[in-house]
Amino acid sequence: MQSSDYKVTAGSLDVHPTEKALVVHYEVEASILGESGGHMLGERKEGQKIIRVKSLSPSTDVGALAKKVVEECKLIPPSRLPQVEQLLYYLQNRKSSPVEGKVEKKEKRTVKPRELTPFEGMELNEEASITRVDEYVELLYEGIPEKIRGSALILQLARNPDNLEELLHNEAALGALARVLREDWKQSVELATIIIYIFFCFSSFSQFHGVVSHYKIGALCMSVVEHELKRHDVWREELRKKNKSAPENGSLRRDQDKAMRKYQGLLAKQEQLLRVSLYLLLNLAEDTRTELKMRNKNIVGLLVKVLDRDDEELLVLVVSFLKKLSIFLENKNDMAEVDTVERLARLVPCDHEDLLNLTLRLLLNLSFDSGLRGKMVEVGLLPKLTAILLCWTGHDFNNTVSYSAEIKPSTLMRMLYEHGEEEIEAELISICINLAANKRNAQLMCEGNGLKMLMKRALKMKDCLLMKMIRNISQHDGLTKPLFLDYVGDLAAEIRAEEEEEWVLECLGTLANLTIADLDWELVLKEYNLVPYLKDRLKPGSAEDDLILEVVIMIGTVSMDDACAAMLAKSGIIPALIELLNAQQEDDEFVCQIVYVFYQMVFHQATRDVIIKDTQAPAYLIDLMHDKNAEIRKVCDNTLDIIAEYDEEWGRKIQSEKFRFHNNQWLEMVESRQADDSEPYLYDNDNDRTDLFYSAGTRRTLEHRELGTAANSGAKLWGFSSYSGVGYGPH
């Protein structure tokens, strides 16, 4: 009869290169003994064990910690206690490595569910060994207690990533675990939790997702979660019935307390099972195809039901999962149908920082849907968000606002005052920028010395975001615009090539909004020598498109002044605008603003002749008068009406082109009726026959413009993705 003999020999002892941990090297020698007791066959294998000492800090008693490590780790003999103590001293005084620092920073930016920790049923008095896996597998064929013990020992091994590769190749062990889970998960919550935890260890690494899918653990976890949620409903209903009538004597009260304790015990075990199951599913959802399968099995509905629980770590996991799912349109629609916002509202605010952070991010994703935004208002989230904003920006919550308060511009302005020369938080300035887009809010912000304070700080600190807020205030007609007269010179002085483009963009945009009758733009342009700067920036590619567009808008604003328009016309800006129009003819905003400049130019007698006789602007306007964009057509018609009134030759051309366009439409209608009888699909596009009445050059320009308009109309600024690959969302 043959038997096996295992011998473990301790090797070297060292510190982990990046973590607070000791690395113990060891060697396992396995021998097969013959009937006489002699060695017949032997095999050696090297391994290592990592002992993490996360509690190690400058105040830790290293001597006591070293004794604890030696007592708990059987691989370290007591004779090596001084060496362990010396290595722990080294770890205690070692500075954090750059890699460690990067990891810490990354973790601060990304909130993830906390790693699963040992729970009741996992911990055993014995230490598992990778060489005895076959023995643990044999226990899986016994009763429930033996199955729990065997799976718990395998879990000890699986929690060490170094053992996963070897366990992966042990098909007998994985097959037995999957079989026991399928057959017995309803009989023992502890057994189901431990086995799913083993497969969770594999799911933590993308390269092992295949083995988890092979044994269909994901589908099984979905069934487990669904079943456990139904069980929870039954428990609650039974508890409700027992509590329905008030107990009249001590015996009934004791029964009631006993039922409550039983419920809480069952709930604690169930939430452990739910947490490990959902965490495994979250890991598998890295693959969108797997995620789509989960969606088809109502993963959103299951997750939203769990939001009613009180366990914070379970809620962190569930909200993190929902946040990941929420970027897809189908999932967002599912969340809208199951009252997700109403259930999330109770989590705002909460004491758990990670949970609050994840909840707010999920609400942000959902807020792009107008219906869900309305629900957020209905459930009273806005006052809560206001209070959180004030707390995060360092203001005393109790003295500033309550959860029933509305956000007020005066409160925000006071918060800006208090910052002095310190940098303003991004959250605070962002909400101020958005609120300033409302006319009434802008007026409230300018009350007293509000605008003076904002301008002084923005110009001193060259704060682009604060200037963006001021720019939003400047766009409103009424009481606020005249207040900017005192700051026109300060803003114009910032329009220089030496300044940062982003800063110049905001200052220039603010000036371009100042359509004030009493403002002498000619004096401003001359005193600050702005005409050369404006002309240089009109060259295609001379700056970012946003800045060039603001230059065009600025030219349109100052051209309202007769003398200013004449100055610009003499400087050669009109040919530069035509060149820019050719370069940007696919961008409707550019086209509309340039045409508006032409409108301002022909409106004044001093520049009308320059536009009509010395440039090709009227010809371009004729090309654009049938553009698909309604605003462009409107400005073109108004401009061409003025040109036709003051120049008979262009008037005849404009009238002729309008006639040709309408005549062309009539001919196309007739031809299409004739084509229906013979060749229904003779022409793919009605505009293909414009060469009957337009020159070839004009036709090319029109077709180019139409293509550009179509391209722009299809652009999407933000939206939800879809599993089908199509984007949806606000345009």
Side-chain angles (χ1 to χ4, degrees), residues 18-140:
T18 58
E19 298 182 27
K20 286 184 178 179
L22 299 176
V23 182
V24 183
H25 298 274
Y26 61 90
E27 185 180 79
V28 179
E29 183 179 358
S31 302
I32 298 177
L33 303 178
E35 295 180 359
S36 60
H39 292 274
M40 293 180 60
L41 185 64
E43 183 182 356
R44 293 188 178 188
K45 185 174 182 181
E46 293 182 352
Q48 68 176 25
K49 180 178 180 63
I50 298 176
I51 305 172
R52 292 178 173 82
V53 283
K54 294 182 179 179
S55 60
L56 184 64
S57 66
S59 59
T60 302
D61 184 346
V62 174
L65 181 59
K67 288 180 182 178
K68 185 178 180 182
V69 170
V70 173
E71 288 173 1
E72 294 186 359
C73 182
K74 303 289 194 260
L75 294 172
I76 306 176
S79 60
R80 303 186 72 171
L81 177 60
Q83 185 182 359
V84 174
E85 195 169 337
Q86 184 180 2
L87 293 174
L88 290 175
Y89 271 122
Y90 172 78
L91 284 174
Q92 189 180 42
N93 298 315
R94 184 175 68 176
K95 294 182 179 179
S96 298
S97 66
V99 176
E100 224 173 343
K102 289 179 182 176
V103 171
E104 288 176 4
K105 289 180 182 177
K106 187 174 181 180
E107 287 177 351
K108 286 182 181 178
R109 289 197 300 270
T110 306
V111 180
K112 296 177 66 177
R114 200 176 69 185
E115 289 297 326
L116 291 168
T117 53
F119 49 84
E120 185 180 354
M122 282 176 50
E123 298 298 338
L124 297 173
N125 294 328
E126 56 184 309
E127 184 175 351
S129 171
I130 192 67
T131 59
R132 302 176 63 188
V133 173
D134 293 341
E135 297 178 21
Y136 309 149
V137 173
E138 290 177 5
L139 294 173
L140 299 178

Side-chain angles (χ1 to χ4, degrees), residues 308-326:
D308 293 332
R309 304 295 180 105
D310 295 322
D311 184 274
E312 290 182 333
E313 291 302 327
L314 178 60
L315 289 172
V316 167
L317 174 62
V318 170
V319 175
S320 181
F321 205 157
L322 286 170
K323 184 176 78 72
K324 181 185 184 305
L325 294 171
S326 66

Side-chain angles (χ1 to χ4, degrees), residues 117-124 148 189-191 193-194 265 268-269 272:
T117 53
F119 49 84
E120 185 180 354
M122 282 176 50
E123 298 298 338
L124 297 173
I148 291 176
V189 172
E190 293 88 347
L191 180 61
T193 305
I194 293 171
K269 290 182 178 180
Q272 290 174 345

Side-chain angles (χ1 to χ4, degrees), residues 581-651:
L581 178 62
N582 280 325
Q584 298 286 353
Q585 58 183 307
E586 295 183 7
D587 191 314
D588 283 3
E589 185 66 23
F590 265 102
V591 173
C592 191
Q593 295 297 341
I594 292 172
V595 172
Y596 178 74
V597 174
F598 292 159
Y599 169 78
Q600 292 291 356
M601 294 286 185
V602 299
F603 196 79
H604 303 296
Q605 178 65 43
T607 53
R608 190 179 302 131
D609 290 341
V610 177
I611 286 284
I612 295 174
K613 297 179 180 178
D614 298 342
T615 71
Q616 293 297 316
Y620 280 91
L621 292 170
I622 289 174
D623 285 351
L624 293 169
M625 67 181 177
H626 304 301
D627 193 271
K628 291 182 179 180
N629 187 298
E631 289 299 320
I632 294 176
R633 291 199 306 271
K634 181 179 178 181
V635 181
C636 275
D637 287 343
N638 292 337
T639 309
L640 289 172
D641 287 346
I642 297 174
I643 292 174
E645 183 179 349
Y646 286 93
D647 189 287
E648 292 183 2
E649 183 179 352
W650 274 113

Side-chain angles (χ1 to χ4, degrees), residues 109-110 150 152 154 157-158 210 326 370 431 476 497 514 527 592 610 726:
R109 289 197 300 270
T110 306
I154 296 175
L157 300 173
S326 66
S370 58
I431 197 168
H476 304 293
L514 303 183
E527 185 171 344
C592 191
V610 177
V726 182

